[in-house]
């Protein structure tokens, strides 16, 4: 049978009236003692001001976030640098180098022997060379060709080792006659070897191109024919040397 005291008995877990009021005041600010928070300056200040722990915790969290982001960026840069170093170590790149300039100059052959005495009365005779590279003139004689040219000569050059180049020179009256004379072989002229390679080369006087030469090389006997204005030339000699002879001939 319960008594009045039993009905009002409280267990230790039940809060006392004062404790309940205090809890209600903490949970709902501004309701304690029936005074609204807006009308109680102390309560309003307490509500507006953040707790010390919360106020300091937010800057700390922000600073920690900045440190973490900065550390991640540093790690990313380090990773890139390490990758570049490892790649360069695996595949070395040689520094560009400029090869030295190489110039090969072969000395020009010098004339062998002493040029023979020859007639040099006319301008053409004087212009004909005594030597060409290693070749030295040994004879000069007049020749007879058709159509009565103004002058015609045969010069023989030797290299002192058994090699011979024969040059027929015709001073014609016209350019057309000179071109025709260059294509005709003179008496005793040796034909170029069969299978020779024929090359067309320009004939130059200084910087001016005055004609075209036909040079047959590659065989035992070579032939070079060309004109210079009204003068025709036919040079017969060793197939391996005739082109150089033509290139070095001054007319």
């Amino acid at each position: 049978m319960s008594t009045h005291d039993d009905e009002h008995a409280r267990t230790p877990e039940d809060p006392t009236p004062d404790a309940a009021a205090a809890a209600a005041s903490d949970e709902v600010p501004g309701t304690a003692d029936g005074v609204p928070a807006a009308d109680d300056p102390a309560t309003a200040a307490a509500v507006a001001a953040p707790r010390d722990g919360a106020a300091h915790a937010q800057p700390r969290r922000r600073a920690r976030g900045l440190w973490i982001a900065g550390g991640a960026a540093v790690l990313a840069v380090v990773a890139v640098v390490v990758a570049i170093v490892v790649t360069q170590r695996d595949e070395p790149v040689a520094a560009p180098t400029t090869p030295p300039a190489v110039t090969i100059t072969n000395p020009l052959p010098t004339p062998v022997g002493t040029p023979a005495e020859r007639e040099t009365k006319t301008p053409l005779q004087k212009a004909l060379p005594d030597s060409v590279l290693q070749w030295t003139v040994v004879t000069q004689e007049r020749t007879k060709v058709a159509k009565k040219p103004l002058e015609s000569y045969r010069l023989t050059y030797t290299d002192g080792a058994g090699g011979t180049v024969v040059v027929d020179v015709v001073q014609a009256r016209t350019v057309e006659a000179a071109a025709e004379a260059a294509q005709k072989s003179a008496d005793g002229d040796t034909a170029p070897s069969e299978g020779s390679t024929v090359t067309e080369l320009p004939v130059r006087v200084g910087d001016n191109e005055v004609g075209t030469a036909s040079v047959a090389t590659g065989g035992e006997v070579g032939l070079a024919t060309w004109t210079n204005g009204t003068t025709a030339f036919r040079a017969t000699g060793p197939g391996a040397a005739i082109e150089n002879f033509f290139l070095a001939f001054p007319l």
Side-chain angles (χ1 to χ4, degrees):
M1 180 176 179
S2 62
T3 61
H4 180 74
D5 292 333
D6 294 336
E7 292 177 359
H8 293 280
R10 295 180 178 87
T11 62
E13 292 79 3
D14 293 336
T16 62
D18 293 338
S25 176
D26 290 339
E27 291 176 359
V28 185
T31 58
D33 300 329
V35 181
D39 296 335
D40 187 355
T43 304
V47 173
R51 296 181 181 180
D52 292 343
H56 290 290
Q58 186 173 1
R60 283 200 299 270
R61 285 195 296 271
R62 184 180 299 109
R64 188 180 300 111
L66 292 176
W67 276 105
I68 293 174
V74 172
L75 289 177
V77 172
V78 172
V80 171
V81 173
V82 171
I84 293 175
V85 172
V86 172
T87 302
Q88 292 180 347
R89 184 181 303 170
D90 294 340
E91 300 179 0
V93 179
T97 58
T98 301
V102 178
T103 302
I104 300 175
T105 303
N106 293 326
L108 292 176
T110 56
V112 177
T114 302
E117 292 185 4
R118 59 188 182 86
E119 189 175 2
T120 57
K121 293 180 180 180
T122 68
L124 177 59
Q125 289 174 337
K126 291 180 181 179
L128 295 173
D130 286 335
S131 60
V132 180
L133 300 177
Q134 73 270 30
W135 309 92
T136 303
V137 65
V138 292
T139 62
Q140 174 182 295
E141 56 184 336
R142 290 181 179 269
T143 57
K144 294 181 179 181
V145 295
K147 295 189 178 180
K148 297 180 181 181
L150 298 176
E151 297 178 68
S152 59
Y153 308 98
R154 170 169 285 187
L155 290 83
T156 302
Y157 294 82
T158 182
D159 62 358
T164 301
V165 176
V166 176
V167 181
D168 289 307
V169 183
V170 176
Q171 178 67 62
R173 298 179 183 275
T174 63
V175 173
E176 292 76 15
E180 184 178 351
Q183 300 303 319
K184 288 185 177 180
S185 60
D187 294 338
D189 197 5
T190 304
S193 301
E194 294 184 3
S196 298
T197 301
V198 179
T199 305
E200 300 293 327
L201 299 174
V203 178
R204 297 182 181 278
V205 176
D207 295 332
N208 299 322
E209 184 174 333
V210 297
T212 302
S214 176
V215 183
T217 61
E220 183 177 354
V221 178
L223 172 66
T225 61
W226 72 98
T227 61
N228 182 349
T230 57
T231 307
F233 299 89
R234 287 179 62 89
T236 305
I242 197 65
E243 182 174 345
N244 288 337
F245 184 90
F246 156 72
L247 293 174
F249 202 86
L251 297 178

